[in-house]
Amino acid sequence: MSNLRQRAAAPSRSLSPTLPGTPGLDHPAHLDQILVGDCVAMMERLPAGSVDAIFADPPYNLQLEGGLTRPDQSKVDAVDDDWDKFDSFEAYDAFTRAWLIACRRVLKPNGTIWVIGSYHNIFRVGTILQDLGYWVLNDIVWRKANPMPNFRGKRFTNAHETMIWASRSQDAKSYTFNYEAMKAFNDDLQMRSDWLLPICTGSERLKDGEGAKLHPTQKPEALLYRVLLSSTNPGDVVLDPFSGTGTTAAVARMMGRHFVGIERDPAYAEAARKRIAAVTPASAEGLASQRPKRAEPRIPFGAVLEAGLLTPGDELTDAKGRHKALVRADGTLEVAGTTGSIHKIGAHVQGLDACNGWTFWHTQKDGAPRPIDDLRARIREGLGLAS
């Protein structure tokens, strides 16, 4: 995807995009803002159950010992900042437990959380997630198209990071997963759990006044685009407790989602604000995604008769014309003295336990069989219920 940054003069700090579902005078003060402070303390100020999704990119606790150099002895710009240093695994675990508890409080019952990490920390994070009651839905491998080489030649090149996607609890069944949208995004193939994407480079990478990387672990916008497209909807609230330079918030703003970013470094927070304010939200029409059939309003087969799209006594067939059924006035079908719903009779003639009658049964249109699901779609359109 094209990067979201626009070369424009930095506007004011006010970030009030026109988003689907934006509240009016009751718009919470924390919404669509980058908050500066400790993430646990700041999350304690947020209302419980107020967040639809969380993307967390916590410190990895890389445990680097000394600087890294290339074969030509030039220094590698590695992550050696104080925020990534912990005295022990126990200290890191306590830190992880604290922020995950805070996240779980603000997450809606049907909300989900994404946590990204490397082999240094992701297994510890996963254990604590499960200990706290989260339910792991997937682990996603972000395979880097252009990873940093292994300069010492003593290990495999670290070419991926892992994201854990989890619901708030095992009982949370109504979490958002835009399966159809992700399949369409992936050229009508199911989206797999290994994503090949480049690391953040070029004009997307924020630089300081001397041209150096502003933040050592800035994530690519393409990664967040895929995360938010798959697990959120326009108008949802997305929290990033380790906001950094605001990648999550910038992508959320463009995609019509609300955001709450928390960052303890004022310099990172200010850079994020400027970056986010330069992003233009996409139009509501452009943000529309394919909806699953199960999310569409239910239309009974009898409504097709009420609308005059079929008449009692009409004949329905399967796509190849091998099976025929008579339409009755009460919305049932009859085949050789056996009556029942479009689904029951469709299963009966095939000798199956179940059948989707809307796609199995067909009517003739312009000399060709058309599924009766087309008639249901016409009714939805007439009622203004089409997706």
Side-chain angles (χ1 to χ4, degrees):
M1 62 175 289
S2 60
N3 76 67
L4 308 178
R5 297 179 59 222
Q6 299 185 7
R7 301 185 183 278
S12 67
R13 287 192 177 190
S14 176
L15 300 175
S16 301
T18 301
L19 302 175
T22 300
L25 297 176
D26 295 328
H27 190 79
H30 64 269
L31 214 54
D32 303 320
Q33 300 295 326
I34 301 296
L35 310 177
V36 179
D38 173 78
C39 68
V40 174
M42 299 306 291
M43 280 191 280
E44 288 175 350
R45 302 181 186 181
L46 302 180
S50 61
V51 171
D52 295 285
I54 297 172
F55 181 84
D57 183 10
Y60 287 8
N61 190 26
L62 295 179
Q63 311 132 46
L64 294 179
E65 298 177 358
L68 293 177
T69 57
R70 298 181 178 84
D72 63 2
Q73 300 307 305
S74 61
K75 188 174 183 294
V76 175
D77 187 11
V79 182
D80 55 3
D81 303 73
D82 289 339
W83 50 258
D84 194 60
K85 297 176 182 177
F86 293 82
D87 293 335
S88 62
F89 286 132
E90 291 77 13
Y92 185 79
D93 290 350
F95 160 77
T96 301
R97 187 178 184 85
W99 70 259
L100 281 174
I101 289 174
C103 283
R104 198 163 187 266
R105 186 188 73 84
V106 301
L107 199 60
K108 292 180 180 179
N110 62 343
T112 58
I113 183 172
W114 296 77
V115 185
I116 189 169
S118 68
Y119 71 87
H120 302 87
N121 72 322
I122 198 63
F123 303 108
R124 309 189 76 87
V125 170
T127 297
I128 296 171
L129 270 167
Q130 292 179 314
D131 287 346
L132 293 176
Y134 290 96
W135 189 253
V136 176
L137 301 170
N138 276 115
D139 66 324
I140 305 294
V141 174
W142 167 30
R143 189 157 62 94
K144 301 176 182 179
N146 49 344
M148 180 183 294
N150 185 290
F151 295 112
R152 292 177 176 172
K154 294 184 177 181
R155 302 184 186 182
F156 296 105
T157 298
N158 295 323
H160 78 278
E161 293 184 26
T162 300
M163 291 187 293
I164 297 175
W165 181 42
S167 59
R168 193 180 182 279
S169 70
Q170 182 179 0
D171 298 329
K173 306 299 184 183
S174 59
Y175 58 86
T176 296
F177 176 53
N178 297 318
Y179 169 82
E180 282 78 8
M182 297 309 294
K183 187 175 180 180
F185 183 85
N186 197 39
D187 291 340
D188 288 330
L189 296 174
Q190 287 188 346
M191 180 65 74
R192 292 162 45 116
S193 61
D194 54 334
W195 298 354
L196 179 63
L197 296 168
I199 63 174
C200 183
T201 57
S203 61
E204 183 180 317
R205 170 71 75 171
L206 270 63
K207 304 292 180 60
D208 62 17
E210 298 178 356
K213 291 187 294 187
L214 182 62
H215 193 289
T217 63
Q218 181 180 334
K219 294 300 182 288
E221 291 159 358
L223 183 70
L224 270 299
Y225 187 95
R226 196 171 291 192
V227 165
L228 297 187
L229 182 66
S230 66
S231 58
T232 67
N233 295 308
D236 281 357
V237 177
V238 182
L239 169 68
D240 187 337
F242 306 97
S243 182
T245 53
T247 302
T248 302
V251 177
R253 177 175 166 87
M254 188 278 291
M255 296 182 70
R257 279 69 167 164
H258 295 291
F259 63 86
V260 180
I262 302 174
E263 174 52 51
R264 72 179 189 180
D265 187 316
Y268 290 158
E270 186 59 28
R273 291 190 183 108
K274 293 177 180 179
R275 174 188 186 184
I276 298 160
V279 174
T280 301
S283 67
E285 295 78 11
L287 292 172
S289 295
Q290 289 196 41
R291 295 176 59 192
K293 291 289 185 183
R294 62 182 177 273
E296 295 180 334
R298 183 180 179 274
I299 301 293
F301 180 63
V304 176
L305 298 174
E306 292 175 333
L309 300 178
L310 285 176
T311 302
D314 283 350
E315 185 179 78
L316 301 180
T317 68
D318 67 307
K320 295 184 178 180
R322 292 175 296 187
H323 304 288
K324 298 179 180 180
L326 180 74
V327 177
R328 292 165 35 122
D330 61 358
T332 60
L333 301 185
E334 180 181 353
V335 173
T338 299
T339 62
S341 70
I342 58 174
H343 312 296
K344 180 179 178 180
I345 296 302
H348 169 72
V349 298
Q350 298 178 86
L352 302 174
D353 293 330
C355 169
N356 182 349
W358 288 108
T359 55
F360 177 75
W361 293 111
H362 290 62
T363 185
Q364 292 292 318
K365 182 179 180 181
D366 298 328
R370 298 294 301 172
I372 59 174
D373 201 25
D374 289 358
L375 306 180
R376 179 170 62 167
R378 288 173 60 183
I379 293 176
R380 285 197 174 112
E381 291 174 359
L383 295 174
L385 300 176
S387 60

